[in-house]
């Protein structure tokens, strides 16, 4: 019984009991888009699994201190991040859970759980980072033009145009003269392909193919992947053209799933002196069926700021997964 602590129980552990095993501490830090600590963030952690007398099982409530730190007491049970919240801030819940789960040193059945062996890498000097986006008053009233376009592209290199400011349903249009951005796709022709979809896709993937994005009167630059889901385009660093081919292709993999023949990328665009935007693009260099194998597919989700504040809607990849009516408003938040 010398292992048990008979002193007063910590108010940070869920379902306090008279007897506890000694606790270690899991260190978490919350920072905003400028890298500054965020205090007052409420986090709910579930402690659980393999119950025995004296263990802590249930929900624990934690609040970040002035340094943005959360100190979570644990024994040898696993913990799961269940909720994070603070008024005036936004959190990409799917991305946070994805990073939390990816922090594990080995796979376990319950998604999101961390065990003590995983937590050893997160200490006072190297805490687990949760990133938040501070919503400023100017962002609340900013106006954006948001939309999404899906299109099949012929593989002969023909050029399609997209006008982001066009009213009504927007599409990629061949030979558009007033386009902000042009898109083209080329691929060498394959005469004979197997009937099995996965074999057909593998063969097409290895051919010489190329996507090209070009901004007519402005520029484009790729957003490096990270854990912040909300972006504000910079004023410099743009190039006129961006290309994707089989040599720099990256199979899609994110918190929303994966696909070996799709590549998701995010971009900033500059369309004029004070017009900036965000593009999220899914590239698929083949069609979805055998009858459509000569085509390619592209999905473009965009948010364009036209009133000069620079804010755009988030680069959350779920917008490439489904079409949400709530996302099709003129808000930048």
């Amino acid at each position: 019984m010398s292992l048990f602590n008979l002193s007063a129980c910590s108010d940070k552990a869920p379902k306090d009991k008279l007897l506890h095993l000694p606790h270690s501490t899991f260190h978490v830090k919350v920072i905003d888009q400028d890298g500054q600590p965020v205090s007052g963030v409420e986090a709910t952690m579930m402690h659980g699994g393999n119950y025995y007398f004296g263990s802590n099982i249930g929900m624990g409530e934690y609040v970040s201190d002035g340094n943005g730190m959360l100190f979570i007491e644990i024994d040898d049970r696993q913990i799961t991040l269940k909720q994070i919240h603070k008024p005036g801030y936004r959190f990409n819940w799917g991305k946070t859970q994805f990073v939390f789960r990816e922090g594990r040193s080995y796979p376990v059945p319950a998604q999101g759980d961390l065990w003590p062996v995983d937590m050893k890498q997160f200490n006072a000097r190297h805490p687990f980072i949760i990133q938040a986006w501070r919503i400023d008053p100017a962002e609340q009233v900013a106006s954006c033009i948001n939309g999404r376009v899906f299109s099949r592209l012929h593989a002969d290199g023909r050029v399609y145009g997209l006008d982001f400011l066009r009213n009504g349903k927007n599409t990629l249009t061949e030979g558009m003269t007033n386009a902000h951005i042009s898109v083209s796709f080329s691929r060498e022709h394959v005469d004979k392909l197997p009937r099995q979809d996965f074999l057909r896709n593998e063969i097409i993937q290895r051919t010489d193919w190329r996507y090209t994005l070009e901004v007519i009167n402005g520029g484009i630059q790729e957003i490096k992947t990270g854990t912040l889901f909300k972006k504000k385009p910079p004023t410099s660093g743009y190039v006129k053209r961006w290309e994707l081919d089989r040599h720099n292709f990256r199979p899609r993999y994110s918190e929303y799933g994966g696909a070996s023949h799709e590549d998701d990328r995010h971009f900033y665009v500059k369309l004029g002196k004070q017009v900036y935007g965000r593009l999220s693009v899914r590239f698929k260099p083949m069609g979805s069926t055998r009858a459509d194998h000569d085509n390619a597919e592209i999905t473009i989700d965009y948010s364009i700021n036209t009133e000069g504040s620079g804010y755009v809607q988030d680069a959350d990849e779920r917008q490439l997964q489904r079409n949400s009516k709530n996302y099709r408003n003129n808000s930048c938040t």
Side-chain angles (χ1 to χ4, degrees), residues 274-298:
Q274 295 295 328
V275 180
Y276 296 91
R278 183 268 309 160
L279 306 183
S280 297
V281 185
R282 173 163 297 167
F283 301 93
K284 186 178 180 182
M286 70 281 294
S288 297
T289 65
R290 288 192 300 273
D292 195 34
H293 72 267
D294 276 334
N295 293 324
E297 295 179 356
I298 191 169

Side-chain angles (χ1 to χ4, degrees), residues 12-53:
K12 292 184 179 180
K15 294 191 176 180
D16 290 329
K17 300 177 184 296
L18 177 63
L19 300 178
H20 285 285
L21 291 182
H23 290 86
S24 59
T25 302
F26 176 50
H27 294 81
V28 178
K29 185 173 185 178
V30 186
I31 60 175
D32 65 15
Q33 63 265 42
D34 299 318
Q36 298 302 306
V38 183
S39 63
V41 175
E42 300 176 0
T44 302
M45 306 294 297
M46 184 177 72
H47 300 235
N50 301 330
Y51 175 83
Y52 63 89
F53 186 64

Side-chain angles (χ1 to χ4, degrees), residues 61-249:
E61 302 293 334
Y62 304 85
V63 180
S64 62
D65 64 13
N67 295 316
M69 294 296 297
L70 296 160
F71 303 97
I72 301 165
E73 293 184 350
I74 56 172
D75 50 22
D76 62 348
R77 308 283 70 91
Q78 86 271 22
I79 62 173
T80 301
L81 177 62
K82 301 297 291 185
Q83 186 177 2
I84 45 178
H85 172 73
K86 181 180 180 178
Y89 287 79
R90 295 188 67 187
F91 299 85
N92 185 335
W93 178 243
K95 180 78 74 176
T96 301
Q97 281 285 66
F98 182 70
V99 175
F100 188 80
R101 184 172 70 250
E102 291 296 297
R104 296 182 312 212
S105 59
Y106 57 92
V108 294
Q111 291 187 357
D113 293 343
L114 291 183
W115 292 77
V117 66
D118 306 309
M119 299 174 202
K120 289 180 180 179
Q121 62 180 302
F122 303 117
N123 50 45
R125 294 186 61 184
H126 302 285
F128 178 83
I129 299 296
I130 294 178
Q131 293 187 292
W133 180 270
R134 181 188 65 255
I135 304 177
D136 296 325
E139 183 182 354
Q140 290 278 16
V141 298
S143 178
C144 291
I145 296 176
N146 308 305
R148 191 176 80 155
V149 171
F150 169 80
S151 184
R152 292 182 174 86
L153 307 178
H154 291 281
D156 56 7
R158 68 185 69 182
V159 177
Y160 301 83
L162 182 59
D163 179 355
F164 296 112
L165 308 183
R166 185 179 180 182
N167 293 326
K169 186 178 180 180
N170 215 341
T171 60
L172 277 170
T173 304
E174 186 177 348
M176 178 181 285
T177 57
N178 297 320
H180 292 104
I181 189 171
S182 67
V183 180
S184 64
F185 176 79
S186 60
R187 186 185 63 232
E188 62 177 307
H189 180 70
V190 181
D191 291 325
K192 294 183 179 181
L193 289 168
R195 296 182 60 84
Q196 296 89 345
D197 287 343
F198 75 95
L199 291 176
R200 171 181 57 84
N201 290 344
E202 288 293 336
I203 292 174
I204 292 176
Q205 182 73 32
R206 293 194 298 268
T207 62
D208 287 329
W209 56 265
R210 184 182 306 274
Y211 280 96
T212 301
L213 304 181
E214 183 173 339
V215 179
I216 308 305
N217 293 305
I220 186 170
Q221 63 174 290
E222 186 174 358
I223 299 173
K224 294 182 179 180
T225 56
T227 54
L228 271 183
F229 72 110
K230 190 78 166 117
K231 304 292 182 180
K232 190 172 183 180
T235 58
S236 61
Y238 295 87
V239 296
K240 188 172 182 61
R241 172 191 298 235
W242 186 91
E243 294 183 339
L244 176 71
D245 60 28
R246 65 185 179 91
H247 300 291
N248 59 354
F249 178 88

